[in-house]
Amino acid sequence: MLIPGRVELLNTPEPPPSAVYGDPATWLLNTVSVHPLRYDYAVGVLRGSTADPEKLVEELVERGLVLKVQYAGATYLVRNFRCRPPPRP
């Protein structure tokens, strides 16, 4: 239990997600809105719900909704809140 005025630090990596719920793009956007997700974890879990997970991720990056960030030798996906999404074709 956290005590008011204290912060809990998570200092170990989270395990990869085990499943995608609902629409894969929406799931990914919702997930990376809360915390960074390793690129390889995202692609791995998306394989069960879309034929081309790399293409899905790259489309979200190209639309400006998701950013790829390098940290400690790994690539992470994070939600880009500074960019308004371009209209869908």
Side-chain angles (χ1 to χ4, degrees), residues 41-63:
Y41 288 179
V43 168
V45 72
L46 287 167
R47 278 198 178 100
S49 60
T50 187
D52 193 347
E54 291 91 352
K55 181 179 177 184
L56 173 69
V57 171
E58 292 307 320
E59 287 174 353
L60 294 173
V61 170
E62 288 173 15
R63 290 177 56 207

Side-chain angles (χ1 to χ4, degrees), residues 2-56:
L2 292 177
I3 299 170
R6 293 191 57 186
V7 176
E8 182 176 344
L9 175 64
L10 302 175
N11 61 357
T12 58
E14 291 189 33
S18 59
V20 171
Y21 301 98
D23 174 66
T26 301
W27 173 87
L28 183 58
L29 288 171
N30 290 341
T31 301
V32 299
S33 291
V34 179
H35 59 79
L37 179 62
R38 282 181 54 142
Y39 180 88
D40 56 330
Y41 288 179
V43 168
V45 72
L46 287 167
R47 278 198 178 100
S49 60
T50 187
D52 193 347
E54 291 91 352
K55 181 179 177 184
L56 173 69

Side-chain angles (χ1 to χ4, degrees), residues 38-40 69-76:
R38 282 181 54 142
Y39 180 88
D40 56 330
V69 176
Q70 297 293 320
Y71 179 76
T75 302
Y76 289 84

